[in-house]
Amino acid sequence: MAKFYITTPIYYPNARLHIGHAYTTVAADALARYHRLLGDEVFFLTGTDEHGQKIGRTAQEAGLSPQQYVDQIVATIRELWGTLAISYDDFIRTSEDRHRTVVQEVFRQLVASGDVYKGTYEGWYCTPDESFWPEGRLVDGKCPVCGRAVERVQEESYFLKLAPYAERLKRHILEHPGFIQPESRRNEMLAFIDQGLDDLSISRTSFDWGVPLPGDEKHVAYVWIDALTNYITAAGFGSDAERFARLWPADVHLVGKEIVRFHAIIWPIILLALKLPLPKTVFGHGWLLLDDAKIGKSTGNVIDPTTLVERYGLDAVRYYLLREVAFGSDGSYSEPSLVLRTNVDLANDLGNLLSRTTAMLERFSAGKVPVPVGTSNLRPVAEAAIYECEQALASLSLSDALVALFRLVKAANKSIEEEAPWTLHRNQDPRLAAVLYDLAESLRITAVALRPFLIDAPAKIYAQLGAGDIGATSWQDVAWGGLKPGATIQRGAPLFPRIEAEEPTASAPRPAVAATTSAKATAEKAGTIELADFKRLELKVARVVSAEPVEGSRKLLKLTLDLGAEQRTVVSGIAGHYDGPALVGKDVILVANLAPATIFGIESGGMILAARDRDQLRLLTVDGSLQPGSSVS
Ligand code: ME8
């Protein structure tokens, strides 16, 4: 069994975390879940970086002790990870005893090996980033990384010599192309080493919220030394040698690009000095930006992931974070793009595929998965998609992995249009079974392959397909042919209801009564309905493809309607008012979620809307041209 040790940065609990922290943590979670499905022994670590000047000051401003202050923020962080279904195996807090002893042991070893000496630090300090900068590295007198003000520091300090390790580190980077990823960060780090590495101040004396150094307790460990050490504390360094030997080195340190320097230069040098192996990969992903600025606690443009989950659902938020931005690059966050992503990929492509497939299995296959006979068109597509997904996950390209999977979803939707199972059914074509099995099996495979990314949808897909307990599946189950013929379909609610754009009044305070159950009763009494009742109707723009008289009836026309992603047959009593051929190409409004009915032996999938004035009847249409399938609200 392979092992897979993955970490997130340990976050500063100086304020509630935001969507940027969720971004890294959801990505690490997806990778951890993938490796668990592969059968690896996974250790997924996250936690909090609780010491240092920044937290000390924030607590003081809040009138609390640092420990009290961080305790309350840490509670909100654990809650957030619960909301996002983060499957961490350990949550380390640097204020814990288990960590303090390791920081002290690391310091002892560094002093003993001659890598650390005592001196005086004179220079600049960026408190928000907790980083030291010599005069010459400042940009316009500001922190060269975040651009914020720096403070003058002059104090006694212990120093770690970095320069003696520069060549070894450089060689390691050059010989291990996977060590720093993506490549742009690797090049930045090589350039950084080439500028020359100054000795690093690793202790502070001007405050005491930190780990005291053994033998010189007026010094506390510099917060980055303290923080980086968490990765070995949690793996058992100094406490469980057998476990440490099994887990270390970490396979992936997943971090934001602004802290790659600490993870790819300072941390490896500490490890070299401790004679420990280096992590296999430091991956520096890009930033989520809001209006071109980094989303950050100090910029005040934070987005609360909990609100998004409440509004759009857990899977929609996780999918958006993992899919929207190519992992490694910067990308913009916006709520409209989240809504669009959810509606297009999850509601339209995946959700509709499931509802159309299960509806057709019910209608054309007595609600059972058929025995596939003949060739499968989707099998090679599924196998290619899974292969590409695996390749992408191996290189941590999470968004590419999802793009590959959704290629299969799109191909399955396209095959519905091309194969027209309703026609195969009508013509009693024996290909029908293979086509329906293809669709159901493609969905089953997609469900398994989505397990690292989404939490609720995969299980719902499995349940609707009658495929059993998804909890019992492993990555091996992405192989074609897992769905058992004869399984009973259990149609369910739409997987991802479309998110409709907020009504203009949504941000205005709603009358409190609207939220209570008695509101419904009040509305009924007044002869009105609640908005929620109206919203149960799924009204869509449909384009008439053909309109023919129904044999044996003078009133009925049989319409074939194009809904963009599907075609529907609808029987409508408009023959006395409209001539069939004149309707072709016209856009009408369809009640798309009306239960199907059989009229004159034809199954009618919905009702089109018309207005009546005594004996005149006119169809409702749209003002202008919209895509067929557009929703009406
Ligand atoms: O740096 N886009 O903690 P921190 C993407 N304690 N990712 C973002 C982001 C954004 N807009 N904003 C934050 C620290 N992040 C140290 C780490 S590790 C030994 C010590 C994510 O609370 C990203 O992973 O400032 C970034 O590196 C991290 O949060 C910074 O979290």
Side-chain angles (χ1 to χ4, degrees), residues 8-15 17-25 47-50 54 128-130 223-224 226-231 254-260 262-263 285-290 293-297 301 330-331:
T8 71
I10 50 170
Y11 304 109
Y12 292 125
N14 62 318
L17 300 191
H18 55 70
I19 193 89
H21 304 101
Y23 182 61
T24 317
T25 313
T48 41
D49 182 1
E50 305 191 355
K54 170 157 70 173
D129 285 352
E130 301 275 17
V223 64
W224 268 102
D226 175 349
L228 290 162
T229 307
N230 93 86
Y231 301 131
L254 201 58
V255 300
K257 65 178 183 180
E258 80 290 357
I259 57 173
V260 170
F262 294 98
H263 286 80
H285 64 66
W287 286 341
L288 285 188
L289 310 170
L290 188 68
K294 177 178 180 246
I295 297 174
K297 291 173 203 153
N301 59 353
D330 289 353

Side-chain angles (χ1 to χ4, degrees), residues 510-533:
R510 288 164 191 268
V513 69
T516 68
T517 42
S518 69
K520 198 173 173 82
T522 318
E524 274 167 16
K525 253 196 215 147
T528 56
I529 61 165
E530 291 258 278
L531 182 63
D533 292 327

Side-chain angles (χ1 to χ4, degrees), residues 24 62-63 78 87 98 139 171 196 238 242 245 271 277 295 353 365 413 426 447 454 547 549 602:
T24 317
R78 285 184 188 275
S87 62
R98 63 165 169 163
V139 176
R171 206 171 339 116
E242 186 268 327
L271 291 167
I295 297 174
L353 177 63
S365 182
N413 274 317
R426 194 178 332 114
L454 306 186
I602 303 166

Side-chain angles (χ1 to χ4, degrees), residues 535-550:
K535 285 200 157 179
R536 293 183 59 212
L537 289 179
E538 202 183 294
L539 299 176
K540 289 201 166 164
V541 176
R543 188 158 300 161
V544 180
V545 178
S546 68
E548 307 155 9
V550 171

Side-chain angles (χ1 to χ4, degrees), residues 319-338:
Y319 182 77
Y320 176 73
L321 290 176
L322 295 167
R323 167 65 183 82
E324 187 69 7
V325 180
F327 205 55
S329 312
D330 289 353
S332 289
Y333 162 85
S334 82
E335 213 163 313
S337 65
L338 193 165

Side-chain angles (χ1 to χ4, degrees), residues 389-405:
C389 176
E390 287 168 349
Q391 297 297 305
L393 285 168
S395 60
L396 312 188
S397 309
L398 293 157
S399 44
D400 291 345
L402 283 169
V403 170
L405 285 182

